[in-house]
Amino acid sequence: MTVKQDTEIDWKAYMAEVEGVINGTYDYTQLQGDTGPLVYPAGFVYIFMGLYYATGQGTDIRMAQHIFAGLYLATLLLVFLIYHQTCKVPPFVFFFMCCASYRVHSIFVLRLFNDPVAMALLFLSINLLLAQRWGWGCCCFSLAVSVKMNVLLFAPGLLFLLLTQFGLRGALPKLGICAVLQVVLGLPFLLENPVGYLSRSFDLGRQFLFRWTVNWRFLPEALFLHRAFHLALLATHLIMLLLFVLCKWHRTGESILSLLKDPSKRKVPPQPLTPNQIVSTLFTSNFIGICFSRSLHYQFYVWYFHTLPYLLWATPARRLTHLLRLLVLGLIELSWNTYPSTSCSSAALHICHAVILLQLWLGPQPFPKSIQHSKKAH
């Protein structure tokens, strides 16, 4: 069976990387494919090793596409289960999520990237958190991180939820699950070359190529590559997260340090977390990271595509009508489908992101004061 060459970008590189492990190479600095060295954590290796065997050593691309089509349907199911519990998004929006994104269909079924695998595990993790299975949810979250590091954009929100729900002492075992799983998965590579594994699979300073950027095309390439620009984006990212933590998420009237206390010893004991509080915190945490990313490549669209309807419809209709929200979704989709990206498409993407971020900031509080002051009022 022959498949068009333009349907495969990184698949052969993935297969070459895992084939190196199968052949006995555990030094990450020696593992590479056609597109460069292996830069993903160990979970990626194990999952794509399974795909290597399932597809005749990576040669049966049609079989791989069938597997990824199944993954796409499973991802939609997991997303729908999340949205069903939040009751925020009108049903007609799901049509656009399923049928209106050529780019997302391409990322899943044609390009065979690892990003969809990481996001499917992330959405499974969120479903477990909504079911109050915090230990299993953290386990799946860590597994998603082990496939691709972008899932760490959800980590600030998850940490806030764990501290809110359990306090520092109660959150530490859940964080320990995340850490232990990373060590167990990476153990064969850590034993061979720990520095090589950590520096390759968790390289936060990796340089991106200007030719692939979707969000910063209007900048000069020299500025795009400049270290000061990267540090400015990181600082803005952290400041924005801090503002949301202090002004939108933590609204008990106590110091932010009260989150470290056992919940039963706080002046205002927390109410059980609602589905909307969990989803809003996690999706917003990730979206803030997307807004201030050093670069977004085309496959990165799946990092937040399935969260956009919630982010847009979580606020009352009086702020943005349904038509305007659909317009924002359409412009984002158009920006991601413009290849190569242009100054206009990048600018349009930032404008849409700014509209969503402003709406999240001005919208209703996910953790309203009135609920958490009920004891004082009584």
Side-chain angles (χ1 to χ4, degrees), residues 82-102:
I82 293 170
Y83 277 56
H84 175 70
Q85 296 184 64
T86 62
C87 301
K88 287 285 186 180
V89 180
F92 72 87
V93 178
F94 296 116
F95 168 81
F96 295 93
M97 186 186 294
C98 294
C99 305
S101 180
Y102 164 81

Side-chain angles (χ1 to χ4, degrees), residues 360-375:
L360 291 171
W361 180 258
L362 298 177
Q365 314 293 345
F367 296 82
K369 277 189 175 181
S370 58
I371 292 177
Q372 299 190 13
H373 281 301
S374 59
K375 181 179 177 181

Side-chain angles (χ1 to χ4, degrees), residues 36-185:
L38 174 57
V39 293
Y40 306 118
F44 160 85
V45 173
Y46 300 128
I47 290 174
F48 277 81
M49 189 182 296
L51 291 171
Y52 175 88
Y53 288 116
T55 58
Q57 300 182 347
T59 59
D60 190 350
I61 298 181
R62 174 55 65 89
M63 174 59 73
Q65 290 174 332
H66 288 162
I67 294 172
F68 271 78
L71 178 68
Y72 173 70
L73 295 175
T75 301
L76 284 180
L77 176 61
L78 292 169
V79 172
F80 289 168
L81 289 172
I82 293 170
Y83 277 56
H84 175 70
Q85 296 184 64
T86 62
C87 301
K88 287 285 186 180
V89 180
F92 72 87
V93 178
F94 296 116
F95 168 81
F96 295 93
M97 186 186 294
C98 294
C99 305
S101 180
Y102 164 81
R103 178 63 64 187
V104 168
H105 294 163
S106 172
I107 292 168
F108 270 87
V109 182
L110 295 180
R111 308 303 182 182
L112 310 176
F113 288 115
N114 62 332
D115 305 76
V117 179
M119 294 309 299
L121 291 169
L122 183 278
F123 290 127
L124 175 59
S125 169
I126 294 176
N127 274 282
L128 289 167
L129 297 178
L130 290 172
Q132 301 300 310
R133 302 294 183 112
W134 290 90
W136 284 109
C138 289
C139 182
C140 281
F141 182 87
S142 184
L143 188 58
V145 172
S146 77
V147 177
K148 192 159 187 178
M149 248 196 337
N150 70 282
V151 178
L152 287 175
L153 294 178
F154 291 88
L158 178 60
L159 177 61
F160 176 83
L161 293 173
L162 289 172
L163 292 175
T164 299
Q165 185 78 357
F166 302 105
L168 179 60
R169 180 175 295 181
L172 284 176
K174 313 299 188 296
L175 297 174
I177 291 172
C178 297
V180 168
L181 183 61
Q182 291 298 322
V183 173
V184 170
L185 291 174

Side-chain angles (χ1 to χ4, degrees), residues 184-203:
V184 170
L185 291 174
L187 192 58
F189 310 102
L190 289 168
L191 292 174
E192 182 70 23
N193 183 351
V195 175
Y197 175 72
L198 294 174
S199 63
R200 283 287 177 84
S201 58
F202 296 99
D203 182 7

Side-chain angles (χ1 to χ4, degrees), residues 163 166-169 256-262 266:
L163 292 175
F166 302 105
L168 179 60
R169 180 175 295 181
I256 189 67
L257 296 179
S258 66
L259 290 175
L260 303 179
K261 299 179 181 177
D262 186 280
R266 296 172 189 166

